Amino acid sequence: MLSWKLHGDGKQIQPGEVVSIDERLSWPRTLGMGLQHIVAMFGATFLVPIITGFSPTTTLFFSGIGTILFIIITQNKLPSYLGSSFAFLAPVAAAKTSGGIPAALGGIVAAGVLLAVVGFIAKAAGTAWIDSLLPPVVTGTIVMVIGLNLAGAAKNDFMQGQRVGLITLLAIGLISAFFRGFLGRISIFAGLVIGYAVAALMGDVDFTGVEAASWVAMPSFTSPTFDSSAMLLFLPVVLVLIAENVGHVKAVAAMTGKNLDDQIGNALIADGAATTLAGLGGGSGTTTYAENIGVMAASRVYSTLAYIFAGVGAILLALSPKFGAVLSATPAGVKGGVTVALFGMIGVLGARIWIDGRVNFANPINLYIAASCLIIGISDMSWTRGDYTFSGIINATVLAVFGYQILNRIAKARGTGN
């Protein structure tokens, strides 16, 4: 299964040609493509642990392992890099308030297991039910709620260092405006680097942990604890991961001209397995990365071998605790500047899903679902029953998924559906 034939002479790609999934360039050039994939995923993968307080090197370690596992489970047919998913930010923050990082890890494990189960169902029953259960109005609403629900957390970090927070936020905007290529695509991480450097010059970075960290060592691993009330917080994330994986498979299929529908179930299983493994060891939950799709589109190299090299490279980078300590020392104000932009972008991504899916808001059901869920989620309307607290994100997700189905069935039965 893991075999690749040499494309042409292994050195050049002729006009109109692509390096297919089961092909490779020469070993040095394939290694170079692997390094390019590492650079593409780098910023987003590290932002999640920096924001959540997870170990950056542990997250990178499981990101590399997860990517290799993904290629194997999808039978070497689906090129993809698995990096940290922003969808986990809100439930991780909520779970940490009661049970710390171990409770958050338990929720990540639960989400991974459930995603894998969905993958097995998709392999057995097909994927038409996914499109029916998660139309664009529902997925767009859930994504927007996950992003904007975090506005309070962004404000809290920003207020702890308003000067460097503002510098970071402005740097992100200016980089986005001045640069259209790769640097423009990593404006969030580039802005973080600038904010970090300014904070260091101002003496606002505590380098004690950096000085104490070893240059080479295994990442630190943390075991999860399983609290059912904390695990409930992660249910909405599964729906987002389903939509992201299905979208990724369809995007790669469109780029390569191959029908990859038979790999949707495997992709969900693979991402579920990678997320579960990460949660068991202290890493962030994973998802397929759009950033790396851009690398494939620009290079016309779709070889899965490049992703295996990227996964191995990520594992090797993760073996430097000093590197992780530098990232962990990011000041709160810098994180605040980053999260103001990032969390807002996640929210706007929900609106983009509505636009791409041509959601009709003249339909009163679509309008009601989106409007009600946004208020419930953003204001964090929660309720408690016994030992269980249902957060605003959970309640908004339940209303979006089940409310949409119920109301549409009622409208169709009454002959008023649009």
Side-chain angles (χ1 to χ4, degrees):
M1 179 176 65
L2 294 178
S3 61
W4 300 266
K5 58 179 179 280
L6 189 67
H7 176 85
D9 62 1
K11 297 178 180 180
Q12 294 182 333
I13 307 173
Q14 299 300 323
E17 291 185 352
V18 299
V19 178
S20 188
I21 292 170
D22 58 351
E23 294 181 327
R24 66 170 178 86
L25 294 173
S26 64
W27 293 110
R29 286 171 174 77
T30 302
L31 176 60
M33 287 305 308
L35 294 174
Q36 196 168 341
H37 282 300
I38 291 176
V39 172
M41 67 80 184
F42 188 86
T45 293
F46 275 117
L47 278 175
V48 173
I50 287 173
I51 293 168
T52 59
F54 282 25
S55 166
T57 51
T58 306
T59 292
L60 184 60
F61 181 80
F62 284 109
S63 171
I65 290 178
T67 296
I68 296 171
L69 187 63
F70 187 94
I71 298 298
I72 293 172
I73 293 178
T74 56
Q75 303 171 329
N76 201 31
K77 294 180 180 178
L78 190 58
S80 178
Y81 191 91
L82 294 192
S84 305
S85 171
F86 292 124
F88 284 93
L89 290 173
V92 164
K96 282 176 61 181
T97 59
S98 58
I101 288 179
L105 293 173
I108 290 173
V109 171
V113 170
L114 184 55
L115 182 63
V117 170
V118 172
F120 283 112
I121 295 173
K123 285 196 70 172
T127 59
W129 64 275
I130 294 177
D131 296 332
S132 176
L133 183 67
L134 299 174
V137 66
V138 172
T139 53
T141 298
I142 293 172
V143 170
M144 184 174 286
V145 164
I146 286 174
L148 300 185
N149 175 268
L150 291 164
K155 177 187 175 183
N156 291 340
D157 278 339
F158 191 92
M159 297 305 289
Q160 292 183 53
Q162 297 177 44
R163 183 182 301 177
V164 293
L166 182 59
I167 290 171
T168 303
L169 182 60
L170 292 177
I172 293 169
L174 290 172
I175 291 169
S176 299
F178 276 104
F179 300 97
R180 295 299 183 201
F182 174 73
L183 191 58
R185 291 197 297 271
I186 63 166
S187 60
I188 295 282
F189 188 73
L192 183 146
V193 171
I194 291 173
Y196 193 114
V198 172
L201 292 174
M202 295 169 58
D204 291 339
V205 181
D206 182 2
F207 287 108
T208 304
V210 179
E211 295 169 357
S214 303
W215 281 103
V216 179
M218 287 294 293
S220 59
F221 299 111
T222 304
S223 298
T225 59
F226 298 98
D227 182 323
S228 54
S229 59
M231 289 190 287
L232 278 174
L233 298 168
F234 290 79
L235 292 179
V237 175
V238 177
L239 301 178
V240 176
L241 295 179
I242 292 171
E244 287 179 344
N245 276 277
V246 172
H248 179 83
V249 173
K250 292 185 180 297
V252 174
M255 292 171 63
T256 61
K258 297 180 181 290
N259 185 348
L260 298 173
D261 285 354
D262 63 331
Q263 292 301 316
I264 290 177
N266 286 336
L268 295 171
I269 294 169
D271 193 10
T275 294
T276 301
L277 189 62
L280 289 172
S284 303
T286 62
T287 189
T288 48
Y289 260 22
E291 289 89 340
N292 296 88
I293 287 183
V295 173
M296 289 192 292
S299 65
R300 293 181 289 146
V301 177
Y302 305 122
S303 173
T304 52
L305 182 58
Y307 284 97
I308 290 181
F309 280 1
V312 172
I315 293 170
L316 294 176
L317 278 175
L319 301 180
S320 176
K322 192 172 288 290
F323 176 61
V326 170
L327 296 171
S328 296
T330 304
V334 176
K335 288 192 288 185
V338 166
T339 53
V340 165
L342 178 62
F343 296 164
M345 288 179 182
I346 295 172
V348 173
L349 180 59
R352 180 179 174 180
I353 293 173
W354 290 340
I355 294 170
D356 291 346
R358 300 181 183 276
V359 175
N360 177 20
F361 283 111
N363 181 332
I365 294 176
N366 290 343
L367 185 62
Y368 166 81
I369 290 296
S372 301
C373 292
L374 286 177
I375 296 299
I376 292 170
I378 294 171
S379 65
D380 201 22
M381 291 185 185
S382 58
W383 59 280
T384 301
R385 187 180 181 90
D387 294 331
Y388 298 96
T389 297
F390 298 85
S391 70
I393 292 179
I394 293 176
N395 296 329
T397 299
V398 170
L399 177 58
V401 174
F402 296 103
Y404 177 85
Q405 299 295 330
I406 293 170
L407 293 178
N408 266 290
R409 280 165 173 71
I410 292 173
K412 288 179 180 179
R414 299 281 295 174
T416 57
N418 291 327

